[in-house]
Amino acid sequence: MYRLPLFLLVLWSALLVARMGAVAQVPAEPKPAPAAPKVDTDTEGRFMERLGRGVVAIPKDNGSVFVSWRLLGDDPVKTAFNVYRKEGEKAAIRLNERPLGYETCFVDELANLDRPSAYFVRAVVGGVEQPPSEPFKLRANPPIRSYLRVPLQTLPGHTPNDASVGDLDGDGEYEIILKQEMRPRDNSQRGATGETKLEAYKLDGTMLWRINLGKNIREGAHYTPFIVYDLDGDGKAEVACRTADGTVDGEGKVIGDPNADHRNSVGYVLDGPEFMTIFDGQTGRALVTGDYVPARGRPADWGDDYGNRVDRFLAAVGYFDGRRPTLVMCRGYYTRTVLAAWNWHKGVLTRAWLFDSDDGGRGHRAYRGQGNHNLAVGDVDNDGKDEIVYGACCIDDDGRGLYSTRLGHGDAIHLADIDPDRPGLEVFDIHERAEHPNGAELHVAHSGQVIWGKPSDDVVRGMTMDLDPRHRGYESWALGDGLEGLWNAKGETISPTHPRSCNFGVWWDGDLMRELLDRITISKWDWENGEESVLLRAEDCSSNNGSKGTPCLCADLFGDWREEVIWRSSNNKELRIYTTTIPTTYRIPTLMHDPQYRLSVATQNVGYNMPTQVSYYLGNGMKPPPRAKIRTKPE
């Protein structure tokens, strides 16, 4: 292929940037549209959790009971269901006349709430009933509420914060891993913090363990990302995070020097060893501890000498070989950026790859200063392997730089099929103090090519979701200087107003569009009148993370494909898991068996919390979701 001389290529690129107001991509030649990967789902596929049916039964104020359950990602295509109710010692009765071949929810209009009952389902495959699911039990005269209570053992002076989930004991049901904080501070703020705790609870409130990260791990959103995932494929999730001298595992064993105190006079920790530990999910026992990579080195090498930029941590999980999950621990995004990938398999921890923007590698300098306060993971080039969208740049599955848009740092990012008329995934990203015309922009996920952008000097928040059925694809909006209105997937303004909230999304009601989640409120966007209407307000609950106003977690935890929201009670004594009781006629496999969605749940507590996203277009006018290329048998 004919290529221009280097000096002409540079001149041509500069002229193009000046003329179009775009920012050059690295590499300069975008990849072609992705083709479908060749994956043998019988022998390959991604290892995912083996989940139960997750039956949930919620009494309603009219005396009926709303029942919903999971359609699994590896269920046969024509799987149907029968719904049963059992009261006391009586034989269980089937509630549906014919097997439900489409619905994954049911309203029991004849429920008798005066006596204890239990609900379960049986899958029907090829006309044959399968074994019953685990039952969901209701006591007599149950309280009428749309949430489940998880009692906590919160220590004095602590506040429940971010949460994650994983099947810690292999029973097909999620457990909750909760971060408890005392005096968190942003990196830019001086002063000593408390000692962060990680606690594991079953859904009935049984506490499994508590890990104390200790005085040498500073408290705050940027210091303590934790990953909950089955990293070794044994059917039980592990917990991984950064540790230090004085960290105490779930069995009371101290990591490093128990007497060390590396805090300086203003509360920063700029000396002493840093570790990365993988903990057993059932017991909280430290399984392996090694040096944290990337290492701290000289704080000034990360952009300042007082400890702000050196302690900006992110973490993730990805399927970089297309089969097994790999842990990624990160450091830095304002200047130097380093990511280290680790495999945990058969009791051995090995490093898979390392990416360092400052190691002198070809083109690596273009990746400096491109990170966000969050990240996203997905198969952007459709080769069956994941990439990490690290803010305004992307790291390939082999640890090499895939591209840098050079658009710079931002506070929010969304990786999804935002425009279903374009092949592959897109990224909606925002940028602080942008010195270019793309303060809020949509770009091609596999190449970084900007599709459209909106000029703004400084953008602080941005959201994308399907809000308006009159326009195909997701709608987007952002909060920033000079930004107004609501944009469709093509970047066209379709409304002079946008939702007041620009925070989180949740699939909640019965249609395919997404609802707004902000602080303790779920709202519906009224696209005709350009305003929000409240669907649920979680009374006596509180949101987390100050002005961010985020829940502990929002994810598809049980029941059908809609999402649950976990908030802490205002007295910090319990978690409340809110679940929808609105029927839906749409049949979608549990979102937790879509790998990209599951990974977005695993990283939701990392940095500034971001809402979940699936790998396909989930919205008005969607096609049937693709069958997941997964396997759920433990190795």
Side-chain angles (χ1 to χ4, degrees), residues 56-313:
V56 62
I58 303 296
K60 304 183 72 172
D61 54 12
N62 63 0
S64 66
V65 174
F66 178 80
V67 186
S68 70
W69 59 92
R70 292 187 184 107
L71 175 68
L72 302 173
D74 54 357
D75 274 334
V77 174
K78 295 185 179 181
T79 298
F81 295 95
N82 289 326
V83 185
Y84 289 84
R85 181 198 336 119
K86 180 175 172 57
E87 297 178 0
E89 299 300 320
K90 294 181 179 180
I93 61 172
R94 195 176 81 181
L95 303 180
N96 51 299
E97 293 183 5
R98 298 178 181 178
L100 304 176
Y102 205 78
E103 304 91 334
T104 51
C105 63
F106 182 86
V107 178
D108 182 8
E109 302 283 2
L110 303 177
N112 183 357
L113 298 179
D114 293 332
R115 59 177 58 188
S117 59
Y119 289 85
F120 63 90
V121 299
R122 287 178 179 263
V124 180
V125 180
V128 179
E129 270 199 334
Q130 305 301 304
S133 69
E134 288 294 317
F136 185 93
K137 298 178 181 179
L138 290 175
R139 69 174 192 244
N141 300 306
I144 307 302
R145 60 193 182 203
S146 58
Y147 64 85
L148 309 183
R149 294 179 60 250
V150 182
L152 299 176
Q153 297 183 31
T154 302
L155 294 172
H158 290 68
T159 300
N161 191 257
D162 294 335
S164 192
V165 293
D167 183 0
L168 302 182
D169 53 14
D171 66 353
E173 182 180 81
Y174 285 122
E175 281 75 45
I176 298 172
I177 296 79
L178 177 68
K179 180 170 71 171
Q180 295 260 19
E181 293 184 329
M182 301 176 70
R183 298 183 303 279
R185 296 182 185 274
D186 188 84
N187 296 50
S188 61
Q189 300 173 2
R190 294 184 171 194
T193 68
E195 299 182 8
T196 297
K197 316 298 189 297
L198 298 178
E199 299 175 346
Y201 293 90
K202 295 188 72 66
L203 294 183
D204 64 3
T206 300
M207 186 176 181
L208 301 179
W209 47 257
R210 175 183 290 131
I211 295 168
N212 183 352
L213 295 183
K215 64 175 69 73
N216 294 309
I217 295 292
R218 201 164 145 85
E219 277 192 318
H222 304 297
Y223 307 98
T224 53
F226 60 99
I227 295 296
V228 182
Y229 216 82
D230 183 2
L231 298 170
D232 59 2
D234 67 351
K236 301 176 183 179
E238 291 78 38
V239 179
C241 65
R242 190 173 63 98
T243 56
D245 282 337
T247 294
V248 182
D249 76 3
E251 294 186 343
K253 182 179 179 181
V254 179
I255 294 172
D257 182 353
N259 300 314
D261 186 346
H262 301 297
R263 295 173 295 182
N264 65 18
S265 60
V266 293
Y268 285 100
V269 181
L270 303 180
D271 292 302
E274 297 175 288
F275 309 123
M276 189 267 285
T277 301
I278 296 178
F279 298 92
D280 179 81
Q282 285 186 282
T283 65
R285 175 173 61 92
L287 297 174
V288 63
T289 296
D291 292 337
Y292 187 86
V293 178
R296 180 189 298 120
R298 291 192 328 125
D301 291 342
W302 301 86
D304 62 62
D305 59 4
Y306 72 96
N308 181 4
R309 289 169 173 80
V310 66
D311 274 4
R312 298 285 176 161
F313 298 96

Side-chain angles (χ1 to χ4, degrees), residues 463 465 467 477 499-506 514-518 521-525 532:
M463 272 298 304
M465 63 177 76
L467 291 175
W477 68 106
R500 294 188 304 275
S501 66
C502 193
N503 193 0
F504 251 66
V506 55
R514 210 166 190 186
E515 284 62 60
L516 301 157
L517 170 57
D518 186 47
T521 301
I522 295 175
S523 302
K524 186 77 173 177
W525 177 245
E532 301 174 32

Side-chain angles (χ1 to χ4, degrees), residues 248-558:
V248 182
D249 76 3
E251 294 186 343
K253 182 179 179 181
V254 179
I255 294 172
D257 182 353
N259 300 314
D261 186 346
H262 301 297
R263 295 173 295 182
N264 65 18
S265 60
V266 293
Y268 285 100
V269 181
L270 303 180
D271 292 302
E274 297 175 288
F275 309 123
M276 189 267 285
T277 301
I278 296 178
F279 298 92
D280 179 81
Q282 285 186 282
T283 65
R285 175 173 61 92
L287 297 174
V288 63
T289 296
D291 292 337
Y292 187 86
V293 178
R296 180 189 298 120
R298 291 192 328 125
D301 291 342
W302 301 86
D304 62 62
D305 59 4
Y306 72 96
N308 181 4
R309 289 169 173 80
V310 66
D311 274 4
R312 298 285 176 161
F313 298 96
L314 299 176
V317 178
Y319 291 82
F320 303 124
D321 65 356
R323 300 188 72 243
R324 293 191 181 100
T326 294
L327 174 69
V328 181
M329 307 301 280
C330 316
R331 187 179 218 131
Y333 40 75
Y334 287 124
T335 52
R336 184 184 177 193
T337 295
V338 187
L339 297 82
W342 300 92
N343 288 321
W344 172 247
H345 190 58
K346 296 183 178 180
V348 179
L349 182 67
T350 57
R351 198 170 79 189
W353 49 257
L354 178 76
F355 177 87
D356 187 342
S357 65
D358 289 21
D359 65 1
R362 183 178 181 183
H364 283 194
R365 296 288 289 184
Y367 294 78
R368 281 177 56 90
Q370 302 304 308
N372 278 19
H373 291 298
N374 28 58
L375 44 69
V377 183
D379 181 7
V380 304
D381 53 9
N382 209 24
D383 64 353
K385 304 174 183 179
D386 285 327
E387 287 72 42
I388 300 175
V389 180
Y390 202 82
C393 64
C394 186
I395 308 302
D396 210 346
D397 53 75
D398 59 2
R400 301 181 184 182
L402 185 61
Y403 63 81
S404 174
T405 67
R406 301 189 185 186
L407 295 172
H409 166 76
D411 282 6
I413 193 168
H414 305 275
L415 171 67
D417 191 359
I418 295 166
D419 184 351
D421 294 331
R422 296 183 62 93
L425 304 172
E426 293 83 35
V427 176
F428 180 64
D429 199 4
I430 62 173
H431 306 282
E432 287 185 351
R433 294 182 288 277
E435 297 180 357
H436 51 73
N438 297 302
E441 48 86 16
L442 187 75
H443 66 257
V444 179
H446 74 269
S447 70
Q449 180 181 9
V450 174
I451 301 170
W452 53 261
K454 304 293 179 179
S456 177
D457 293 335
D458 193 20
V459 187
V460 296
R461 292 197 183 185
M463 272 298 304
T464 187
M465 63 177 76
D466 187 20
L467 291 175
D468 191 333
R470 300 171 298 183
H471 300 271
R472 183 163 165 78
Y474 289 1
E475 284 70 49
S476 304
W477 68 106
L479 304 182
D481 299 336
L483 296 178
E484 297 180 354
L486 188 65
W487 313 307
N488 65 13
K490 309 299 183 185
E492 301 163 334
T493 301
I494 59 173
S495 169
T497 61
H498 59 65
R500 294 188 304 275
S501 66
C502 193
N503 193 0
F504 251 66
V506 55
W507 282 289
W508 185 261
D509 67 7
D511 62 33
L512 292 172
M513 292 177 292
R514 210 166 190 186
E515 284 62 60
L516 301 157
L517 170 57
D518 186 47
R519 298 188 179 275
I520 59 169
T521 301
I522 295 175
S523 302
K524 186 77 173 177
W525 177 245
D526 180 347
W527 59 86
E528 293 181 324
N529 297 309
E531 59 187 21
E532 301 174 32
S533 59
V534 174
L535 300 181
L536 180 144
R537 182 170 285 113
E539 301 293 344
D540 299 320
C541 289
S542 296
S543 59
N544 291 329
N545 302 314
S547 63
K548 302 298 182 289
T550 52
C552 298
L553 185 71
C554 176
D556 179 12
L557 302 179
F558 41 69

